């Protein structure tokens, strides 16, 4: 049976199952689920395996995929004196401000694979992206030294601890 499957699908049944599970996880992340919930709901009992499979098949970690592709997330790229910056926000907080080409360099994703700007109208996430752009513009003009927006960067426990110490 396994040989017939491999001949027909050009992969082993286990590889096919991984692709099916990761596709389900991507849908969950796009709907706004956390990475942990997406892993559990797609049949993973080991988060490390999920993370490795997801990263291998999508070129990015699940949290970054959610940041970029979730339906309830606003995002925009802004030109600045230090180069273009990508701003990503949920309804509650700024999730990410990073060089716009960071993802492409880090994961090897082609620019066309990264979703276009989308500021959700009449939504707190869109308002946060606009406010962040305004504050960054003021900062680069020398008119601001402190940022007032709520932050919620997504990262590992270690990254979260480092960011807390830096604040």
């Amino acid at each position: 049976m396994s040989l017939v499957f491999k001949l027909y699908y050009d992969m082993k049944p286990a590889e096919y199952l991984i692709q099916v599970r990761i596709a389900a996880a991507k849908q969950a992340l796009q709907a706004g689920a956390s990475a942990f919930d997406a892993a559990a709901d797609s049949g993973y009992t080991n988060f490390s395996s999920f993370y490795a499979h997801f990263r291998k098949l999508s070129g990015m970690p699940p949290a970054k995929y959610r940041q970029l592709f979730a339906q309830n997330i606003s995002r925009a790229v802004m030109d600045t004196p230090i180069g273009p910056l990508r701003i990503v926000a949920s309804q509650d907080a700024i999730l990410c401000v990073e060089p716009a080409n960071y993802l492409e360099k880090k994961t090897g994703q082609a620019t066309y694979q990264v979703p276009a700007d989308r500021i959700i109208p009449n939504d707190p996430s869109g308002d946060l992206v606009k406010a962040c752009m305004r504050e960054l513009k003021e900062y680069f003009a020398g008119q601001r030294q402190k940022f007032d927006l709520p932050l919620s960067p997504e990262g590992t426990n270690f990254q979260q601890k480092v960011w807390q110490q830096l604040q």
Side-chain angles (χ1 to χ4, degrees):
M1 177 71 172
S2 180
L3 180 59
V4 173
F5 190 93
K6 179 154 176 54
L7 288 172
Y8 187 76
Y9 290 105
D10 195 31
M11 67 179 77
K12 297 176 184 175
E15 294 168 334
Y16 179 79
L17 180 59
I18 289 169
Q19 289 188 4
V20 168
R21 286 180 172 172
I22 295 301
K26 284 181 175 180
Q27 286 183 330
L29 291 167
Q30 288 173 8
S34 69
F36 184 79
D37 288 341
D41 292 346
S42 61
Y44 278 90
T45 56
N46 181 325
F47 191 73
S48 295
S49 295
F50 169 71
Y51 188 89
H53 293 158
F54 195 96
R55 190 172 187 102
K56 181 179 179 185
L57 291 175
S58 70
M60 65 185 81
K64 176 55 91 176
Y65 185 90
R66 181 183 179 279
Q67 282 183 344
L68 293 175
F69 291 93
Q71 297 164 358
N72 59 348
I73 300 288
S74 286
R75 58 189 173 269
V77 174
M78 168 186 183
D79 286 325
T80 72
I82 60 170
L85 293 176
R86 177 180 291 116
I87 302 163
V88 182
S90 69
Q91 294 183 341
D92 303 318
I94 300 295
L95 301 175
C96 175
V97 177
E98 67 184 4
N101 61 356
Y102 173 75
L103 181 67
E104 293 86 344
K105 287 181 179 178
K106 184 176 179 186
T107 65
Q109 295 283 328
T111 303
Y112 66 85
Q113 291 176 304
V114 176
D117 290 4
R118 180 185 71 184
I119 296 178
I120 302 171
N122 303 317
D123 187 83
S125 68
D127 296 340
L128 279 171
V129 167
K130 291 175 190 175
C132 184
M133 292 172 80
R134 185 178 57 253
E135 287 192 7
L136 285 169
K137 199 174 287 185
E138 292 168 358
Y139 172 80
F140 286 117
Q143 301 166 345
R144 175 181 290 275
Q145 292 185 354
K146 184 179 179 197
F147 297 93
D148 302 322
L149 299 171
L151 303 177
S152 181
E154 294 187 3
T156 65
N157 287 338
F158 175 76
Q159 289 171 322
Q160 294 286 342
K161 288 177 185 176
V162 170
W163 294 329
Q164 287 172 356
Q165 291 298 316
L166 288 173
Q167 288 181 350

